[in-house]
């Protein structure tokens, strides 16, 4: 099957982030080489972005234009009197110059860029907005204009160079480049990426369908990923809350059980972490590049360590860490209430049996002087916040400080908790069978668990859209 | 292969895909590579399932479960059939075997059936009705028991339990559970009623019985009304049924003349068998067939929830955003021309020569001021700052006319040296005896700022390429309070 190709060349001065931009668009940190110096990229390197089974977008990385003044001088002085150049325009001038490429070995890299300019459908001109607008950049743009291809200026480094954006914008407008997009490969925003594709669609009207398909596909993928990630977080919350361990009513037994509990929750969290990383295709390479507080697939700070708690604004002296550890006993009273209600409404043999099965463990435990330990609200809260901030860091492929993101004033600020938070938790706590590691002979059907997870996911989605 | 077969096939495939998900949980393995690029996601998934199934062998396990459930249902069918059959001889036929209480027969077979239908309707339209813990556990344990008695699978699949849990959830969970359980309950009731009807036929064929009715507290009217309602349909179909007078005569102790009695017996038995078949068995069988169809269509329309994290991951595994990098225009030049300088070495006490031509490259205002104040002592004209082609040409022409043997270049250490810079410097060395001095301007010591020290390194490297000796390079810090002493060292001789 022949694939329909649409191709883009990424050009610009050295070290403006061309290769970084492509890596971000490809979500592939293995593409090309990146270094904070000139002349890193030496080949013209291409990669395909899959649109669907019939269509691709090919994107080419080019070496940086580093000597545009010299290049422009030479191009402008290239004769095009030869009869084979029938148009005698700038494109012919470029062609004539390329014919003589062996005469200018020092411009070898620039010539590669010129060839890329002439052979692709569209040009991304990447600008480091932190830079002053120098003559050499104007010369670069002039050379680009010779190729008579649609150009999208991409203002890169916008996080660091906000103040200079207007200057660049004015300069670009003077060169008839009104449609620009701003981007930051390091502090990534999905909306910015979409803007690039939207601009492409506007500029390449004859490729509109193809680009529309690309936009649709990327958007769908982004949303699918996000909701899958939210599902994972919701599942973690539910399972961590449902986790429980039985202990006798004495110090030692309680501390053993709470140790078990911590281990169990830790392992649930670590599973979620690896799934989230896999979902966003974060490899060790990216983790290093973006300084995530993750070490070999594990959080650097243990969930229960006092350092981690401090990151989330919890004072280590609070009774949370004192006493019997994280675990608190399940409230048997709540269970009793439900027991009565169920007996009232049920009234059927089956329902009674169900109730017996459902609360048997708790009732037996309270009679025999045992108790059940499960994670307390604060632990779950920290767990929750930590995953959410990880998610937003993953979505920015980025620098966002994962721990310090959202939970500065955890104790004081109650309203950042979801409205139904405690309802969710108590529901999960009443269903120990939702975690496979709890050995419970309660029914295995997951319908209600799925429902609760769905509810929490919906909450997260609504949070995002606001 | 017919269309129906293919649909069933597709269902099996999807089920196997789900089974593979259960095995691979939480993340899909990337061992099953193939060329998925030209396929849509669902086709690619199908292909992957086929590949993965070669290893995981989920299909046979599911078939086994299916068989177990079928076996369980069939066994229960037989049990109910027997119960139905034996209930006729147990409860209906009196000890002497010559009388059947019609009222009792109706109550025994039709009333419970109607009540259970009502309960079923109620449960069917109520959410979560089938989430009975005990029911689930009971069936699971019975099926498990069957499995142990049934030694067909001697080496168990390593994921047997997990797969069973999934399969059970699939068959009796949210998606198909109601249809499935309805089907099963109608099936069992049908077997019960069928057993009863058959054994009733058998009893009536081999015994001569009289139909009577007995009551202590009900009056005759109620009984009349009941029989009349029951006889309404068969009369329409002109089947011989008891007339109202027969009914009132059928109370205990009234013995009819022989011939008339035989007729009445036949009409009573007609009514009983007809009622059993039409009012009990037939609705059950209709419902049975309906739910059979419903399950079939549920299977046909069974789709996988692609929004699960597993499938989202699988999607990007089968269809990565990019799957091919290629070099289009390779670099022909050898990378060896680059000179690596291992440590950023420069001359802290650089002494500038007497006669020289200084200029600056791409300095911002602040740096230019710094450069000008530095050169002031020695060189009266302001520096030319090369920013574009024009200024570059100006410098080059001034340079060649001045015949200077020493060139001093001011640059900002923060800026990135590039090939353009290198070319310019090389172009400045128009004669072989020209010496180039490089003065790097900065605001901080490189020890303080690591990115600055990297840049310094870059400058020293590129200077080496331009054949500027490290003796002729210096780094000037424009921080009055901090760097006075360093500044003093750079004297202009
Ligand atoms: N903060 C920030 N750094 C960037 C951005 N884009 C690129 N970089 C960094 O800039 C340097 C040069 O990037 P590179 O992609 O090699 O530029 P190229 O030479 O144009 O291909 C690398 O150190 C990148 O990490 C950006 O948008 N923001
Ligand atoms: Mg590059």
């Amino acid at each position: 099957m022949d694939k329909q190709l649409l191709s883009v060349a990424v050009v610009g001065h050295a070290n403006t982030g061309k290769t970084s931009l492509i890596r971000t668009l490809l979500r592939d940190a293995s593409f090309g080489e990146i270094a904070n110096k000139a002349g890193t990229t030496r080949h013209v390197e291409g990669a395909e972005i899959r649109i669907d089974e019939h269509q691709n977008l090919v994107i080419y990385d080019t070496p940086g234009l580093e000597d545009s003044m010299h290049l422009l001088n030479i191009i402008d002085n290239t004769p095009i009197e030869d009869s084979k150049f029938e148009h005698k325009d700038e494109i012919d001038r470029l062609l004539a110059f390329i014919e003589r490429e062996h005469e200018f070995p020092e411009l070898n890299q620039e010539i590669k860029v010129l060839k890329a300019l002439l052979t692709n459908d569209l040009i991304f001109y990447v600008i480091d907005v932190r830079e002053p607008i120098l003559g050499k950049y104007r010369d670069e743009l002039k050379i680009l204009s010779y190729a008579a291809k649609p150009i999208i200026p991409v203002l890169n480094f916008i996080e660091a160079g906000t103040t200079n954006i207007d200057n660049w914008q004015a300069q670009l407008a003077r060169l008839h480049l009104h449609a620009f997009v701003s981007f930051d490969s390091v502090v990534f925003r999905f909306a910015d990426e979409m803007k690039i594709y939207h601009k492409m669609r506007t500029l390449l009207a004859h490729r509109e369908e193809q680009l529309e398909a690309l936009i649709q596909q990327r958007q769908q993928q982004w949303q699918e990923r996000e909701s899958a990630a939210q599902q994972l977080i919701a599942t973690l919350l539910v399972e961590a809350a449902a986790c429980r361990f039985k202990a006798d009513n004495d110090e030692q037994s309680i501390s053993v059980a709470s140790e078990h509990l911590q281990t169990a929750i830790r392992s649930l969290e670590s599973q979620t972490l690896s799934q989230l990383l896999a979902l966003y295709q974060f490899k060790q390479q990216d983790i290093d590049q973006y300084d995530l507080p993750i070490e070999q697939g594990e959080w650097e700070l243990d969930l229960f360590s006092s350092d981690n708690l401090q990151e989330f604004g919890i004072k280590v002296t609070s009774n949370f860490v004192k006493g019997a550890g994280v675990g608190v006993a399940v409230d048997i009273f709540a269970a009793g209430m439900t027991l009565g209600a169920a007996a009232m409404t049920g009234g059927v043999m089956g329902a009674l049996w169900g109730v017996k099965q459902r609360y048997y463990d708790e009732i037996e435990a309270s009679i025999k002087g045992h108790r059940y330990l499960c994670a307390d609200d604060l632990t779950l809260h920290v767990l929750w916040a930590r995953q959410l901030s990880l998610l937003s860091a993953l979505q920015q492929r980025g620098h966002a400080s994962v721990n310090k993101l959202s939970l500065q004033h955890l104790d004081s600020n109650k309203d950042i908790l979801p409205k139904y938070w405690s309802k969710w938790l108590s529901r999960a706590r009443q269903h120990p069978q939702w975690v496979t590691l709890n050995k419970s002979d309660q029914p295995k059907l997951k319908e209600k668990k799925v429902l609760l997870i769905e509810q929490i996911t919906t909450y997260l989605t609504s949070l995002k859209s606001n | 292969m017919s269309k129906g077969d293919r649909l069933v096939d597709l269902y099996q495939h999807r089920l196997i895909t789900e089974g593979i998900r259960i095995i691979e949980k939480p993340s899909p393995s990337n061992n099953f590579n193939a060329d998925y690029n030209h396929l849509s996601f669902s086709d690619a998934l199908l292909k992957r399932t086929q590949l993965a199934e070669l290893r995981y062998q989920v299909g046979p396990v599911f078939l086994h479960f299916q068989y177990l459930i079928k076996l369980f249902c069939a066994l229960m069918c037989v049990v109910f059939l027997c119960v139905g059959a034996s209930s006729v001889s147990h409860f209906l036929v009196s000890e002497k075997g010559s009388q059947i209480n019609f009222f009792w027969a109706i109550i025994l077979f039709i009333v419970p059936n109607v009540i259970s239908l009502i309960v079923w309707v109620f449960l069917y339209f109520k959410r979560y009705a089938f989430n009975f813990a005990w029911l689930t556990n009971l069936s699971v344990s019975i099926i498990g028991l069957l499995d142990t008695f049934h030694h067909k699978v001697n080496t168990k699949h390593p994921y047997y339990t997990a797969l069973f849990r999934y399969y059970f959830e699939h068959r009796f969970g949210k998606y198909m559970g109601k249809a499935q359980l309805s089907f099963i309950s109608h099936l069992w009731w049908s077997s019960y009623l069928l057993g009863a009807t058959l054994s009733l036929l058998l009893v009536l064929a081999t015994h001569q019985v009289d139909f009577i009715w007995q009551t202590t507290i009900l009056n005759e009217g109620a009984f009349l009304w009941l029989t009349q309602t029951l006889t309404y349909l068969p009369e329409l179909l002109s089947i011989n049924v008891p007339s109202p007078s027969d009914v009132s005569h059928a109370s205990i102790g009234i013995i009819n003349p022989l011939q008339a009695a035989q007729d009445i017996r036949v009409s009573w038995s007609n009514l009983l068998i007809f009622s059993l078949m039409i009012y009990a068995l037939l609705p059950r069988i209709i419902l049975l067939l309906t739910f059979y169809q419903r399950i079939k269509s549920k299977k046909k329309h069974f789709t996988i929830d692609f929004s699960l994290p597993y499938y989202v991951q699988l999607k990007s595994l089968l269809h990565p955003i990019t799957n091919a990098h290629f070099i289009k225009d390779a670099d022909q030049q050898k990378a060896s021309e680059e000179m690596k300088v291992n440590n950023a070495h420069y001359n802290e006490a650089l002494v500038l020569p007497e006669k020289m031509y200084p200029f600056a490259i791409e300095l911002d205002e602040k740096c230019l001021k710094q450069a000008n104040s530095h050169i002031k002592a020695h060189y009266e004209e302001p520096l030319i700052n090369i920013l574009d082609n024009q200024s570059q040409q100006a410098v080059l022409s001034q340079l060649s006319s001045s015949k200077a043997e020493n060139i001093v270049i001011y640059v900002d250490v923060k800026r990135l040296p590039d090939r353009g810079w290198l070319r310019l410097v090389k172009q400045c060395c128009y004669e072989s005896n020209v010496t180039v001095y490089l003065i790097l301007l900065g605001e901080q010591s490189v020890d303080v700022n690591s990115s600055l020290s990297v840049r310094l390194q870059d400058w020293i490297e590129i200077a080496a390429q331009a054949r500027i000796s490290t003796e002729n390079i210096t780094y000037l810090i424009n921080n009055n309070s901090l760097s006075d002493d360093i500044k003093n060292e750079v004297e202009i001789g």
Side-chain angles (χ1 to χ4, degrees):
Chain A
M1 209 186 306
D2 242 3
K3 289 211 167 196
Q4 267 205 309
L5 292 182
L6 169 63
S7 64
V8 178
V10 179
V11 304
H13 198 76
N15 210 43
T16 48
K18 298 179 292 297
T19 312
S20 307
L21 170 72
I22 298 181
R23 275 191 184 183
T24 307
L25 294 181
L26 298 178
R27 309 276 189 286
D28 182 354
S30 69
F31 180 85
E33 265 178 70
I34 285 184
N36 188 6
K37 62 195 284 186
T40 324
T41 306
R42 306 186 63 85
H43 314 290
V44 174
E45 192 172 349
E48 289 179 353
I49 293 184
R50 184 178 197 279
I51 300 176
D52 56 30
E53 54 266 44
H54 309 298
Q55 306 172 82
N56 266 348
L57 168 70
V58 187
I59 189 160
Y60 289 104
D61 192 14
T62 63
L65 285 166
E66 294 181 32
D67 200 0
S68 46
M69 291 186 198
H70 185 44
L71 180 67
L72 186 62
N73 254 341
I74 293 174
I75 294 175
D76 281 347
N77 295 319
T78 304
I80 42 169
E81 271 63 60
D82 197 311
S83 62
K84 68 182 165 191
F85 300 117
E86 46 183 288
H87 300 295
K88 310 261 180 287
D89 61 358
E90 267 82 21
I91 296 183
D92 278 352
R93 217 178 270 286
L94 289 180
L95 290 172
F97 169 68
I98 290 173
E99 264 191 5
R100 296 167 54 203
E101 60 177 308
H102 52 275
E103 292 171 36
F104 307 99
E106 78 276 14
L107 290 175
N108 170 290
Q109 301 288 2
E110 276 73 11
I111 288 166
K112 282 182 203 155
V113 180
L114 293 185
K115 287 181 188 165
L117 283 184
L118 291 171
T119 51
N120 290 295
D121 300 321
L122 185 92
I123 312 298
F124 288 167
Y125 177 65
V126 182
I127 296 166
D128 177 350
V129 281
R130 299 168 307 176
E131 284 280 290
I133 302 161
L134 296 171
K136 58 181 180 185
Y137 299 126
R138 261 178 251 137
D139 291 347
E140 275 170 22
L141 282 162
K142 196 163 173 199
I143 296 167
L144 295 190
S145 71
Y146 284 3
K149 285 281 163 70
I151 299 176
I152 300 180
V154 179
L155 304 183
N156 201 12
F157 289 94
I158 48 168
E159 286 294 313
T162 336
T163 47
N164 214 12
I165 292 180
D166 292 344
N167 294 340
W168 271 105
Q169 204 177 333
Q171 177 61 38
L172 288 169
R174 214 171 293 159
L175 294 164
H176 305 292
L177 292 169
H178 297 282
F180 69 94
V181 289
S182 42
F183 202 77
D184 202 294
S185 322
V186 176
V187 187
F188 171 75
R189 278 185 216 90
F190 181 65
D192 290 345
E193 182 184 342
M194 278 298 108
K195 256 182 233 155
I196 292 186
Y197 293 135
H198 280 290
K199 279 279 145 56
M200 284 176 74
R201 193 181 54 182
T202 326
L203 284 182
L204 298 174
H206 59 295
R207 300 295 200 127
E208 195 178 334
E209 258 172 53
Q210 206 173 346
L211 287 161
E212 183 58 39
L214 176 66
I215 290 169
Q216 290 299 329
Q217 192 256 3
R218 301 319 300 274
Q219 227 147 22
Q220 187 193 348
Q221 192 192 35
W222 180 262
Q223 272 153 14
E224 275 174 359
R225 267 200 196 158
E226 186 173 84
S227 69
Q230 289 165 344
Q231 237 181 79
L232 287 173
I233 295 173
T235 312
L236 173 65
L237 178 71
V238 169
E239 290 188 350
C243 232
R244 66 181 193 188
F245 284 88
K246 195 168 165 182
D248 294 334
N249 252 339
D250 61 74
E251 283 279 321
Q252 200 207 340
S253 168
I254 287 175
S255 83
V256 169
S258 90
E259 199 54 52
H260 285 314
L261 183 65
Q262 292 193 1
T263 315
I265 290 176
R266 229 176 255 139
S267 95
L268 286 174
E269 192 195 21
S270 130
Q271 277 170 31
T272 307
L273 172 66
S274 62
Q275 273 182 279
L276 282 174
L277 291 178
L279 198 61
Y280 280 88
Q281 290 173 305
F282 258 63
K283 313 213 173 70
Q284 191 57 45
Q285 224 172 349
D286 310 83
I287 294 170
D288 296 342
Q289 189 188 344
Y290 298 117
D291 289 341
L292 293 180
I294 290 162
E295 191 95 22
Q296 288 168 347
E298 299 287 344
W299 287 92
E300 262 169 24
L301 287 181
D302 183 60
L303 179 66
F304 302 101
S305 74
S306 53
D307 281 348
N308 180 50
L309 298 175
Q310 258 168 349
E311 293 276 3
F312 286 93
I314 296 163
K315 288 190 206 72
V316 194
T317 49
S318 72
N319 46 7
F320 162 59
V321 199
K322 285 192 291 185
V326 221
V328 292
V330 153
D331 190 357
I332 191 76
F333 180 65
M337 288 284 282
T338 335
L339 177 74
M344 287 281 284
T345 52
V348 201
M349 191 43 208
L352 274 179
W353 190 352
V355 168
K356 182 210 136 244
Q357 281 216 325
R358 172 58 201 81
Y359 295 107
Y360 181 76
D361 294 342
E362 286 93 336
I363 295 166
E364 187 209 50
S366 75
I367 292 170
K368 293 197 179 159
H370 300 305
R371 63 198 309 196
Y372 276 100
L373 294 190
C374 61
D376 70 344
D377 290 19
L378 211 49
T379 305
L380 295 170
H381 194 169
V382 172
L383 189 72
W384 167 257
R386 187 146 99 152
Q387 311 312 313
L388 288 184
S389 49
L390 172 68
L391 175 58
S392 80
L394 290 179
Q395 290 189 323
Q396 295 178 8
R397 302 189 72 72
H399 271 146
S401 160
V402 169
N403 278 326
K404 296 199 169 128
L405 249 180
S406 62
L407 266 197
Q408 280 306 320
H409 307 290
L410 186 68
D411 326 67
S412 55
N413 202 355
K414 277 282 181 229
D415 55 12
I416 53 172
L417 275 175
K419 191 171 156 202
Y420 296 110
W421 176 256
S422 30
K423 212 167 144 191
W424 294 343
L425 295 194
S426 70
R427 193 117 59 90
R429 281 179 184 142
Q430 284 177 23
H431 293 89
Q433 76 276 18
W434 286 352
V435 199
T436 26
L437 91 207
N438 285 340
K439 296 210 170 22
S440 157
D441 54 355
Q442 287 187 35
K444 306 293 187 290
L445 290 187
K446 291 181 302 196
E447 206 170 311
K448 281 187 185 163
K449 179 183 177 186
V450 171
L451 205 78
L452 180 59
I453 290 174
E454 253 168 37
Q455 255 178 38
I456 300 176
T457 312
T458 316
Y459 165 79
L460 282 174
T461 317
S462 71
L463 205 64
K464 274 274 167 186
S465 55
N466 286 340
Chain B
M1 200 185 285
S2 80
K3 193 167 170 250
D5 276 355
R6 243 190 40 239
L7 285 176
V8 171
D9 233 43
L10 214 57
Y11 167 70
Q12 283 294 345
H13 265 294
R14 289 181 181 144
L15 207 58
I16 291 172
T17 307
E18 282 281 87
I20 291 170
R21 173 173 72 86
I22 299 300
I23 290 177
E24 286 186 335
K25 231 175 191 172
S27 295
S29 124
N30 59 358
N31 286 334
F32 307 103
N33 294 321
D35 184 13
Y36 299 117
N37 209 13
H38 300 275
L39 301 172
S40 68
F41 179 62
S42 53
D43 289 344
L45 190 63
L46 201 72
K47 190 165 172 184
R48 182 183 188 273
T49 301
Q50 283 166 345
L51 280 179
E53 173 64 0
L54 292 179
R55 172 186 302 176
Y56 295 133
Q57 294 292 318
V58 176
V61 182
F62 278 153
L63 283 180
H64 176 66
F65 295 149
Q66 204 174 339
Y67 171 77
L68 279 182
I69 290 175
K70 261 191 190 150
L71 186 69
F72 172 60
C73 291
L75 282 181
M76 292 307 282
C77 269
V78 174
V79 169
F80 281 115
L81 198 82
C82 297
V83 169
S86 63
S87 64
V88 170
S89 52
H90 254 95
F91 302 111
L92 206 54
V93 187
S94 69
E95 266 168 31
K96 286 171 280 175
S98 60
Q99 283 182 341
I100 288 181
N101 185 337
F102 187 80
F103 214 177
W104 181 225
I106 295 299
I107 286 177
L108 202 58
F109 293 113
I110 295 180
V111 175
N113 185 39
V114 170
I115 290 176
S116 98
L117 268 178
I118 292 170
V119 171
W120 167 77
V121 167
F122 172 73
L123 289 180
Y124 188 77
F125 292 102
K126 186 174 168 272
R127 276 174 102 191
Y128 312 121
F130 288 120
N131 213 346
F132 284 151
W134 57 278
L135 193 66
T136 331
N137 285 349
L138 192 70
S139 1
V140 168
S141 44
I142 291 177
I143 292 172
L145 209 66
L146 266 180
D147 197 20
T148 29
F149 281 131
H150 197 273
H151 294 293
K152 210 167 186 181
V153 185
N154 17 24
T155 48
K156 271 196 181 174
H157 194 281
Y159 291 92
Y160 194 82
T161 327
L163 286 175
F164 180 70
R165 194 167 293 167
Y166 169 76
Y167 190 74
F168 193 83
E169 173 96 38
H170 168 71
R171 285 290 288 269
F172 300 105
K174 191 177 169 198
Y175 181 67
M176 292 219 286
K178 274 184 181 175
Q180 193 76 53
L181 290 172
S182 303
F183 174 76
I184 290 177
S185 86
H186 295 316
L187 179 69
W188 289 348
W189 266 104
S190 304
S191 340
Y192 171 76
L193 293 170
L194 191 69
T197 316
L198 288 179
S199 94
L200 190 68
L201 273 176
L202 211 69
V203 167
L204 292 179
T206 55
H207 294 63
Q208 194 190 55
V209 287
D210 284 315
F211 287 87
I212 51 163
W213 57 270
Q214 295 170 315
T215 177
T216 313
I217 51 171
L218 292 179
N219 61 5
E220 196 181 318
F223 193 65
L224 259 175
W225 172 82
L226 176 73
T227 19
Q228 247 163 11
T229 339
L230 287 177
T231 51
Y232 177 72
L233 246 182
E235 264 175 350
L236 280 186
L237 298 170
S238 61
I239 293 172
N240 186 13
V241 287
S243 61
S245 64
D246 295 338
V247 176
S248 45
H249 287 148
S251 76
I252 317 162
I254 302 173
I255 309 293
N256 293 306
L258 212 63
Q259 183 54 40
Q262 183 56 25
D263 284 349
I264 291 169
R265 274 190 211 115
V266 171
S267 61
W268 272 114
S269 55
N270 277 350
L271 181 62
L272 184 59
I273 290 177
F274 186 89
S275 309
L276 215 62
M277 295 224 291
I278 302 299
Y279 301 122
L281 194 56
L282 189 68
R284 285 289 177 180
I285 288 188
I286 290 171
L287 283 171
L288 185 70
L289 292 177
T290 320
F291 279 99
Y292 180 72
Q293 281 305 323
R294 181 133 181 84
I295 290 173
K296 249 186 148 172
S297 98
K298 279 267 180 191
K299 281 185 177 174
K300 194 171 118 188
H301 294 118
F302 173 57
T303 48
I304 296 173
D305 178 7
F306 288 144
S307 73
L308 290 175
Y310 173 87
Y311 288 109
V312 176
Q313 279 179 53
L314 194 58
K315 219 179 217 174
S316 49
L317 208 64
L318 300 184
H319 291 151
I321 295 178
T322 175
N323 54 8
H325 303 173
F326 46 89
I327 307 280
K328 195 190 181 199
D329 197 348
D331 191 34
Q332 305 296 339
Q333 288 177 331
K334 294 182 182 62
S336 65
E337 71 170 64
E338 250 181 59
M339 286 176 218
K340 275 273 164 213
V341 179
N342 284 334
N343 45 7
H345 195 73
Y346 57 89
N347 185 2
E348 286 186 8
L350 176 69
V351 180
L352 287 183
E354 193 75 26
K355 266 192 70 180
M356 60 173 175
Y357 179 77
F359 65 92
I361 301 180
E362 292 177 3
L363 293 188
D364 59 18
E365 251 172 64
K366 217 165 146 194
C367 281
L368 192 60
K369 231 164 113 188
Q370 184 189 359
N372 270 324
S373 73
H374 180 250
I375 200 75
K376 200 165 51 191
H378 192 75
Y379 193 83
E380 55 286 354
E381 282 181 57
L383 289 173
I384 295 185
N385 189 15
I386 296 185
L387 291 171
D388 49 20
N389 198 23
Q390 204 184 351
S391 48
Q392 195 176 97
Q393 296 308 326
V395 165
L396 286 172
S397 69
Q398 273 191 18
L399 190 59
S400 60
S401 64
S402 73
K403 298 266 183 262
E405 289 183 0
N406 298 308
I407 301 174
V408 175
I409 303 174
Y410 287 90
V411 295
D412 182 352
V413 76
K414 291 194 300 296
R415 294 195 59 80
L416 182 76
D418 57 19
R419 262 181 294 112
W421 185 88
L422 185 61
R423 194 256 319 144
L424 176 62
V425 174
K426 280 182 177 167
Q427 213 173 343
C428 289
C429 305
Y430 57 99
E431 265 173 36
S432 56
N433 61 348
V434 171
T435 314
V436 182
Y437 293 84
L438 180 62
I439 298 178
L440 302 163
L441 304 172
E443 289 171 349
Q444 271 180 316
S445 158
V446 290
D447 311 326
V448 184
N449 187 332
S450 68
S451 75
L452 215 55
S453 85
V454 173
R455 265 301 169 265
L456 184 66
Q457 178 90 14
D458 292 338
W459 278 110
I460 290 168
E461 276 177 24
I462 205 161
Q465 287 179 45
R467 304 198 195 296
I468 304 174
S469 127
T470 50
E471 285 303 302
N472 294 342
I473 303 173
T474 194
Y475 179 45
L476 216 60
I477 296 172
N478 180 27
N479 187 332
N480 299 333
S481 58
L482 216 155
S483 58
D484 271 350
D485 46 336
I486 304 172
K487 219 175 176 182
N488 292 340
E489 283 172 25
V490 187
E491 288 162 13
I492 298 175

